[in-house]
Amino acid sequence: MHSSPRSLRTPDDDLPDLVRHELVSFFETRQAVQRATAGEFADATDSLIELVLSGGKRLRPTFAWWGWRAAGGDPTGAQAGAVIRAASALELIQGCALVHDDLMDDSPRRRGLPTVHVTFAERHRQAGWATGSNRFGMAAAVLLGDLSLAWADDMLRESGLSAAAATRAAEPWQAMRTEMLAGQYLDMLAQVRGDEDPETALRVNRLKSAAYTVERPLHLGAAIADAPAAVVAGLRGFGTAIGVAFQLRDDQLGVFGDPAVTGKPAGDDLREGKRTLLLSIGMRRAAERVNDSASAILRAAVGNAELDEDGVSAARAVLIDLGAVAEVEKEIDRLTEQALTELAATPIVSDAREGLTRLAASATRRDH
């Protein structure tokens, strides 16, 4: 590559395509090995590969890349390719999270496709195999989610980072994996306990989504670049606020999103009984106003696997009327402003400041 003006294209401009290229290359190598040793398993992993490659915004690798750039990483330098490969491994962390999350929530679709456990249950039914089809689908999803996590570790290790950079990357990488799983557990716990405390919802958002979507990817990139402590702290502060705002936007879309755009059925968060901040605020305001009708509509919707479109529409109307939607939007704006203030005070390179500001907007103002 040329070390030249920013008018020439660099990985900054083509990162999603470069991430996809690295993933395809990684999968081809892994599948060649699998087909030589266990062809049936290689066929099974096609579903995981399809999920990882089928879409997504590549936000996690993008934040990792800009974390590296923020600490002075050279997009035209010799290490850029290794950093892209390391960042691409985050898509496999995401693959694990999606497969397991869909299984635990019994979600039927993801990114416009049948979820992994649904795919394998149907495969079982069509083949007429022994034992229960749903149990087979669940078992396949557990294994493929685990495989995605293992492959993420493999891809990071084989990325070509220097030994010193790989050692520095270990801290955020290890923390991120545990935080993601802890957040998932807390999410399940809140559902079974019926915990409607807004603070619980925010805590789940921080661990389950914000940490592994924004904060730790930024930390990972900065660690690879050997960033000073002040840069790491500033990026993590920015990442935490934007990550929570990202999840709050996701919560809004889980109730109000267009299935043709989100790739998921409308109102799925209601059917799954997720105690999001949106729902927690709605429940609290209905109780404060002694609005029995609003409370009844929300409680009839939450956790109702048979909730129909009319029920979803009624819950939406109540959440709007109670001001819950407006309050969540206000919180998204507040967190975004907090993040940008943190970013402004962090000593990073100017190109990265511009890139991260754009990312903040794309993560919080979106329709899918």
Side-chain angles (χ1 to χ4, degrees):
M1 283 185 174
H2 303 284
S3 56
S4 54
R6 279 289 290 121
S7 58
L8 297 182
R9 295 188 73 81
T10 73
D12 292 352
D13 307 296
D14 300 318
L15 195 62
D17 288 340
L18 293 170
V19 168
R20 180 182 176 83
H21 171 79
E22 293 296 343
L23 289 167
V24 168
S25 178
F26 177 85
F27 290 143
E28 287 175 348
T29 301
R30 284 298 183 275
Q31 287 296 74
V33 173
Q34 293 294 343
R35 294 197 188 285
T37 57
E40 299 92 337
F41 189 52
D43 291 340
T45 59
D46 285 343
S47 293
L48 171 64
I49 292 170
E50 182 181 28
L51 172 66
V52 174
L53 296 179
S54 65
K57 294 165 281 295
R58 311 300 183 208
L59 270 180
R60 292 158 188 84
T62 303
F63 275 112
W65 172 260
W66 283 105
W68 180 72
R69 291 277 284 105
D74 180 2
T76 65
Q79 277 293 293
V83 174
I84 292 170
R85 283 187 290 278
S88 298
L90 291 164
E91 289 296 281
L92 287 162
I93 295 280
Q94 169 75 337
C96 166
L98 295 181
V99 172
H100 285 168
D101 189 53
D102 288 340
L103 172 61
M104 286 182 274
D105 292 339
D106 198 20
S107 299
R109 299 190 72 78
R110 169 74 66 175
R111 296 178 176 174
L113 300 169
T115 49
V116 169
H117 66 282
V118 169
T119 295
F120 280 86
E122 181 60 25
R123 187 175 299 183
H124 181 286
R125 280 190 288 271
Q126 290 185 0
W129 291 332
T131 72
S133 56
N134 288 338
R135 183 176 178 181
F136 179 76
M138 291 168 60
V142 169
L143 292 171
L144 291 175
D146 289 352
L147 178 68
S148 194
L149 189 60
W151 275 359
D153 287 346
D154 291 347
M155 192 171 189
L156 177 66
R157 187 179 61 254
E158 298 165 11
S159 63
L161 293 176
S162 70
T167 298
R168 293 192 298 269
E171 178 194 345
W173 185 264
Q174 291 166 359
M176 173 184 61
R177 291 179 308 175
T178 302
E179 288 162 351
M180 178 186 76
L181 297 173
Q184 183 66 66
Y185 179 76
L186 292 178
D187 188 22
M188 291 194 308
L189 197 61
Q191 290 184 50
V192 298
R193 287 176 169 175
D195 188 340
E196 294 165 5
D197 186 343
E199 288 303 314
T200 299
L202 287 171
R203 186 175 173 223
V204 170
N205 285 350
R206 158 72 178 82
L207 286 172
K208 182 183 174 183
S209 185
Y212 97 100
T213 299
V214 187
E215 179 198 349
R216 292 300 186 182
L218 284 168
H219 187 184
L220 178 70
I224 290 170
D226 200 13
V231 171
V232 171
L235 289 174
R236 288 186 63 188
F238 164 83
T240 298
I242 286 298
V244 174
F246 169 88
Q247 184 56 46
L248 294 180
R249 173 63 62 214
D250 210 52
D251 294 343
Q252 299 276 52
L253 292 171
V255 176
F256 291 91
D258 180 353
V261 178
T262 64
K264 297 172 63 177
D268 248 17
D269 281 2
L270 294 171
R271 297 183 185 93
E272 293 161 10
K274 288 187 178 296
R275 263 59 179 186
T276 63
L277 183 65
L278 174 67
L279 185 62
S280 295
I281 292 171
M283 292 292 199
R284 184 191 65 195
R285 289 195 170 191
E288 288 172 349
R289 297 181 186 183
V290 197
N291 189 330
D292 293 339
S293 174
S295 292
I297 289 171
L298 292 178
R299 296 202 179 280
V302 178
N304 178 3
E306 306 303 320
L307 186 68
D308 59 17
E309 287 302 314
D310 288 342
V312 172
S313 295
R316 286 171 171 168
V318 165
L319 290 168
I320 292 170
D321 182 62
L322 292 171
V325 174
E327 188 167 336
V328 172
E329 290 293 338
K330 183 178 179 181
E331 181 66 4
I332 291 172
D333 290 342
R334 186 193 69 78
L335 286 165
T336 302
E337 183 62 31
Q338 175 185 324
L340 294 176
T341 299
E342 183 83 48
L343 187 66
T346 304
I348 59 176
V349 301
S350 59
D351 280 0
R353 197 181 308 280
E354 294 169 9
L356 288 169
T357 300
R358 290 194 300 271
L359 273 177
S362 66
T364 58
R365 302 171 190 166
R366 57 193 175 91
D367 58 5
H368 67 290

